[in-house]
Structure formats: structure tokens, C-alpha cells
Amino acid sequence: MHILIIEDDLDLGFALQQALKAESISSEWLRRVEQAPRSFHDCAYDCVLLDLSLPDGTGFDLLARWRRAGIAVPVIIITARSALEDRLAGLDGGADDFILKPFATAELVSRIRAVLRRYAQQASEVWSVGELRIEPKSYTATLAGVKLELSPREFHLLLELAREPGAVVPKGALAQRMEPLGEALDFGAIEVHISNLRRKIGAERIRTVRGVGYMLAA
């Protein structure tokens, strides 16, 4: 997973990045509304942790802007505001979850996973796509009950495609998600990993949409 943190508190922002890193979750940290992306087409964030009180605006305004633009990236509000009105405003404004400061890292990570399951339309920790069963937490996958021997790259690629089964994932977005902290993975390397993955799960399960990207058959 690759998480976008928008939080102006220096100590908390640093602590969040370290806590997520310990859970093998990469992140990018921003501190102002003006730094936040206006479009997520070229971004590879799986979820946003959004503070409500920022130096140059509010998380409410930023969230509203994203939702008006049709941006559906999952958003978890992190705030010290405990008033019911704030929680309702955040959830009614398009947030997927709300967690009050201070919070335990384990709870935050659990909430991130829950939000991503709902976003991927999966009801449990085990993701099901036809005969495929994927367990993101344990990095394992099976096909018709048989464990798949996948490299870390292949598993990550399968997981990214499984987030949106039946939908085309653009090559550019897929390449960036595979290397969220560095330069996007080369398209040639993506094609090699796709070829290897097809050999292991069946070529018919991954479709190529020429000039666009790939789709995992639902």
C-alpha cells in the first residue's frame, strides 16, 4: 500500500510515517492544502489520511473539492475534533472513515485495510475474484484451492489488478503503484511480469486493452 498523509503537525506526521513503514506501508507526507493533488490520475495513492485543521485551509474543503471532481480515493479523516457535528460533516462530505487523535497505530492500520476492502468490494481479509483467493495481509494467493508460487512483484501486480476486477487499470497507474517511492516501473518490465502472472493463473484471466492497460476478469 501507498498512503498519502496530509497533516501539519511535524511530530505526528513523522510518527505516522514511521508507524506505517513498520507495517510495510509506504507513504508520502504533505502539510498544506495547496500541496495536495488536484487530480489523482498520475498518483498511486491507495488511501488518504486527512487532517481537518491545516495552515491554509480545512480538510473539509479539500475533501469536498476531490469529491466534486469525481475523485473516489478512500479518505480517512484524522483529527482531534471530537464533536459529533464534525464527524457527521466529514462522513456526509465523502470521508470513508473517521479516527480521533490520539489513536493506536494498530487501529489505524486496521481501519485502512477495512476501507480498502470496501473500496475493492471485498467483504473479508480474503479477496475473492472467481477462483482466485488473495490474502493481502499474508501475501498469499490460491487458485482453485492450490497455492500460487508468486514472486513479490507478481503478487503485488495481482493485488493491484484485484482492487478493481472487471475494470481496466491504466499501465501508467499500474507502473507507479508498483514503485510508489521511486520512478515508475518501466512498461517493458510490467509486460514481463504480466506474462509470468498469466502463465501461473491462466492467460484468460488477465486481458490486455491495447493502448490503455490491463484488466483482471471478474
Side-chain angles (χ1 to χ4, degrees), residues 157-177:
L157 183 58
L158 178 61
L159 187 63
E160 292 302 332
L161 292 173
R163 292 189 192 281
E164 303 176 75
V168 179
V169 182
K171 270 188 179 181
L174 197 56
Q176 186 63 45
R177 290 176 191 174

Side-chain angles (χ1 to χ4, degrees), residues 4-8 30 32 36 48-51 54 62 66:
L4 173 61
I5 302 167
I6 304 182
E7 164 63 61
D8 68 316
L30 305 177
R32 304 176 68 87
V48 178
L49 303 181
L50 177 63
D51 188 19
L54 298 166
L62 183 56
W66 285 340

Side-chain angles (χ1 to χ4, degrees), residues 89-136:
L91 294 171
D92 289 342
D96 297 88
D97 202 352
F98 200 107
I99 187 168
L100 292 175
K101 303 173 185 176
F103 47 78
T105 301
E107 180 184 2
L108 176 63
V109 171
S110 181
R111 286 176 180 269
I112 291 172
R113 290 195 176 109
V115 163
L116 292 180
R117 283 200 304 273
R118 292 197 297 272
Y119 185 69
Q121 299 182 358
Q122 299 292 341
S124 72
E125 289 284 357
V126 180
W127 295 17
S128 299
V129 183
E131 292 185 302
L132 279 168
R133 300 290 183 272
I134 306 167
E135 298 185 45

Side-chain angles (χ1 to χ4, degrees), residues 48-200:
V48 178
L49 303 181
L50 177 63
D51 188 19
L52 290 181
S53 301
L54 298 166
D56 58 339
T58 72
F60 288 133
D61 294 337
L62 183 56
L63 178 60
R65 187 178 80 194
W66 285 340
R67 295 315 189 220
R68 283 196 303 269
I71 295 170
V73 62
V75 174
I76 298 176
I77 290 175
I78 52 172
T79 183
R81 299 186 190 182
S82 59
L84 175 62
E85 292 79 6
D86 289 325
R87 297 200 299 274
L88 294 179
L91 294 171
D92 289 342
D96 297 88
D97 202 352
F98 200 107
I99 187 168
L100 292 175
K101 303 173 185 176
F103 47 78
T105 301
E107 180 184 2
L108 176 63
V109 171
S110 181
R111 286 176 180 269
I112 291 172
R113 290 195 176 109
V115 163
L116 292 180
R117 283 200 304 273
R118 292 197 297 272
Y119 185 69
Q121 299 182 358
Q122 299 292 341
S124 72
E125 289 284 357
V126 180
W127 295 17
S128 299
V129 183
E131 292 185 302
L132 279 168
R133 300 290 183 272
I134 306 167
E135 298 185 45
K137 198 170 181 178
S138 62
Y139 295 92
T140 60
T142 62
L143 177 61
V146 179
K147 184 177 180 180
L148 293 168
E149 297 299 330
L150 303 177
S151 70
R153 291 274 195 192
E154 291 162 359
F155 180 83
H156 192 176
L157 183 58
L158 178 61
L159 187 63
E160 292 302 332
L161 292 173
R163 292 189 192 281
E164 303 176 75
V168 179
V169 182
K171 270 188 179 181
L174 197 56
Q176 186 63 45
R177 290 176 191 174
M178 295 287 284
E179 287 290 351
L181 294 182
E183 294 183 2
L185 200 63
D186 180 79
F187 282 3
I190 288 285
E191 290 170 4
V192 170
H193 292 307
I194 286 286
S195 177
N196 291 336
L197 192 55
R198 279 179 167 143
R199 181 167 46 81
K200 295 179 179 181

